Coordinates of all heavy atoms in Angstrom, one line a residue:
L94 N 21.1 -15.2 -29.4 CA 21.9 -15.4 -28.2 C 23.1 -14.5 -28.2 O 23.5 -13.9 -27.2 CB 22.4 -16.9 -28.2 CG 23.4 -17.3 -27.1 CD1 22.7 -17.2 -25.7 CD2 23.9 -18.7 -27.3
H95 N 23.7 -14.3 -29.4 CA 24.9 -13.4 -29.5 C 24.5 -12.0 -29.2 O 25.3 -11.3 -28.5 CB 25.6 -13.6 -30.8 CG 26.3 -14.9 -31.0 ND1 27.6 -15.0 -31.2 CD2 25.8 -16.1 -31.0 CE1 27.9 -16.3 -31.3 NE2 26.8 -17.0 -31.2
H96 N 23.4 -11.5 -29.7 CA 22.9 -10.2 -29.4 C 22.6 -10.0 -27.9 O 22.9 -9.0 -27.3 CB 21.7 -9.8 -30.2 CG 22.0 -9.5 -31.6 ND1 22.2 -10.4 -32.6 CD2 22.2 -8.3 -32.2 CE1 22.4 -9.8 -33.7 NE2 22.4 -8.5 -33.6
T97 N 22.0 -11.1 -27.3 CA 21.6 -11.0 -25.9 C 22.9 -11.0 -25.1 O 23.0 -10.2 -24.1 CB 20.8 -12.3 -25.5 OG1 19.6 -12.2 -26.3 CG2 20.4 -12.3 -24.1
T98 N 23.9 -11.8 -25.4 CA 25.2 -11.8 -24.7 C 25.8 -10.5 -24.7 O 26.3 -10.0 -23.7 CB 26.1 -12.9 -25.3 OG1 25.5 -14.2 -25.2 CG2 27.4 -12.9 -24.6
R99 N 25.8 -9.9 -25.9 CA 26.4 -8.5 -26.0 C 25.7 -7.5 -25.2 O 26.3 -6.7 -24.4 CB 26.4 -8.1 -27.5 CG 27.0 -6.7 -27.7 CD 26.6 -6.1 -29.0 NE 25.2 -5.9 -29.0 CZ 24.4 -5.9 -30.1 NH1 24.9 -6.2 -31.3 NH2 23.1 -5.7 -30.0
D100 N 24.4 -7.5 -25.2 CA 23.6 -6.5 -24.5 C 23.6 -6.7 -23.0 O 23.7 -5.7 -22.3 CB 22.1 -6.5 -25.0 CG 22.0 -6.1 -26.4 OD1 22.9 -5.5 -27.0 OD2 20.9 -6.4 -27.0
V101 N 23.6 -8.0 -22.6 CA 23.6 -8.2 -21.1 C 25.0 -7.9 -20.6 O 25.1 -7.3 -19.5 CB 23.2 -9.7 -20.8 CG1 23.5 -10.1 -19.4 CG2 21.7 -9.9 -21.1
T102 N 26.0 -8.3 -21.3 CA 27.4 -8.0 -20.9 C 27.6 -6.4 -20.7 O 28.2 -6.0 -19.8 CB 28.4 -8.6 -21.8 OG1 28.2 -10.0 -21.9 CG2 29.9 -8.3 -21.4
T103 N 27.1 -5.7 -21.7 CA 27.2 -4.2 -21.7 C 26.5 -3.7 -20.5 O 27.0 -2.8 -19.8 CB 26.7 -3.6 -23.0 OG1 27.5 -4.1 -24.1 CG2 26.8 -2.1 -23.0
A104 N 25.3 -4.2 -20.3 CA 24.5 -3.7 -19.2 C 25.1 -4.0 -17.8 O 25.2 -3.2 -16.9 CB 23.1 -4.3 -19.2
L105 N 25.6 -5.2 -17.6 CA 26.2 -5.6 -16.4 C 27.5 -4.9 -16.1 O 27.8 -4.6 -15.0 CB 26.4 -7.1 -16.3 CG 25.1 -7.9 -16.1 CD1 25.4 -9.4 -16.1 CD2 24.3 -7.5 -14.9
D106 N 28.3 -4.7 -17.2 CA 29.5 -3.9 -17.1 C 29.3 -2.5 -16.6 O 30.1 -1.9 -15.9 CB 30.3 -3.9 -18.4 CG 31.0 -5.2 -18.7 OD1 31.1 -6.0 -17.8 OD2 31.4 -5.3 -19.8
S107 N 28.1 -1.9 -16.9 CA 27.8 -0.6 -16.4 C 26.8 -0.6 -15.3 O 26.1 0.4 -15.0 CB 27.2 0.3 -17.6 OG 26.0 -0.3 -18.1
Y108 N 26.6 -1.8 -14.6 CA 25.8 -2.0 -13.4 C 24.3 -1.7 -13.7 O 23.6 -1.2 -12.8 CB 26.3 -1.1 -12.3 CG 27.7 -1.5 -11.9 CD1 28.7 -0.6 -12.2 CD2 28.0 -2.6 -11.2 CE1 30.1 -1.0 -11.9 CE2 29.3 -3.0 -10.9 CZ 30.3 -2.1 -11.2 OH 31.6 -2.5 -10.9
E109 N 23.9 -1.9 -14.9 CA 22.5 -1.7 -15.3 C 21.7 -3.0 -15.2 O 21.4 -3.6 -16.3 CB 22.3 -1.1 -16.7 CG 22.8 0.4 -16.7 CD 21.8 1.3 -16.0 OE1 20.7 1.0 -15.8 OE2 22.3 2.4 -15.6
T110 N 21.5 -3.5 -14.0 CA 20.9 -4.8 -13.9 C 19.4 -4.9 -14.4 O 19.0 -5.9 -14.9 CB 20.9 -5.3 -12.4 OG1 20.1 -4.4 -11.6 CG2 22.3 -5.4 -11.9
D112 N 18.3 -3.4 -17.2 CA 18.4 -3.6 -18.6 C 18.8 -5.1 -18.9 O 18.2 -5.7 -19.8 CB 19.3 -2.7 -19.3 CG 18.9 -1.2 -19.2 OD1 17.7 -1.0 -18.9 OD2 19.8 -0.4 -19.3
A113 N 19.7 -5.6 -18.1 CA 20.2 -7.0 -18.3 C 19.0 -8.0 -18.0 O 18.8 -8.9 -18.8 CB 21.3 -7.3 -17.3
C114 N 18.2 -7.7 -17.0 CA 17.1 -8.6 -16.7 C 16.0 -8.6 -17.7 O 15.5 -9.6 -18.1 CB 16.5 -8.3 -15.3 SG 17.6 -8.7 -13.9
T116 N 16.5 -7.9 -20.9 CA 17.0 -8.6 -22.1 C 17.0 -10.1 -21.9 O 16.6 -10.8 -22.8 CB 18.5 -8.1 -22.3 OG1 18.4 -6.7 -22.5 CG2 19.0 -8.7 -23.6
I117 N 17.3 -10.6 -20.7 CA 17.3 -12.0 -20.4 C 15.9 -12.6 -20.5 O 15.7 -13.6 -21.1 CB 18.0 -12.3 -19.1 CG1 19.5 -12.1 -19.2 CG2 17.7 -13.7 -18.6 CD1 20.2 -12.1 -17.8
T156 N 25.5 -21.4 -22.8 CA 25.9 -20.0 -22.8 C 25.0 -19.1 -22.0 O 25.4 -18.2 -21.3 CB 25.9 -19.5 -24.3 OG1 26.7 -20.3 -25.1 CG2 26.4 -18.0 -24.4
K159 N 25.6 -19.3 -18.2 CA 26.8 -18.6 -17.8 C 26.5 -17.1 -17.8 O 27.0 -16.4 -16.9 CB 28.0 -18.8 -18.8 CG 28.5 -20.2 -18.8 CD 29.6 -20.4 -19.9 CE 30.0 -21.9 -19.9 NZ 31.0 -22.1 -21.0
L160 N 25.7 -16.6 -18.7 CA 25.3 -15.2 -18.8 C 24.4 -14.9 -17.6 O 24.5 -13.8 -17.0 CB 24.6 -15.0 -20.1 CG 24.2 -13.6 -20.5 CD1 25.5 -12.8 -20.7 CD2 23.4 -13.6 -21.8
M161 N 23.5 -15.8 -17.2 CA 22.6 -15.5 -16.1 C 23.1 -15.7 -14.7 O 22.5 -15.3 -13.7 CB 21.3 -16.4 -16.2 CG 20.5 -16.0 -17.4 SD 19.1 -17.1 -17.6 CE 18.2 -16.8 -16.0
P163 N 25.3 -14.4 -12.6 CA 25.4 -13.4 -11.6 C 24.1 -13.0 -11.0 O 24.0 -12.5 -9.9 CB 26.0 -12.2 -12.3 CG 26.7 -12.8 -13.5 CD 25.9 -14.0 -13.9
I164 N 23.0 -13.2 -11.8 CA 21.7 -12.8 -11.4 C 20.9 -13.9 -10.7 O 20.2 -13.7 -9.7 CB 20.9 -12.2 -12.6 CG1 21.6 -11.0 -13.1 CG2 19.5 -11.8 -12.2 CD1 21.1 -10.5 -14.4

Side-chain angles (χ1 to χ4, degrees):
L94 177 67
H95 289 242
H96 282 84
T97 300
T98 301
R99 181 198 63 210
D100 295 346
V101 169
T102 302
T103 301
L105 290 178
D106 283 347
S107 61
Y108 301 104
E109 290 291 338
T110 60
D112 296 341
C114 289
T116 303
I117 288 170
T156 305
K159 290 175 187 177
L160 190 62
M161 290 178 63
I164 298 170

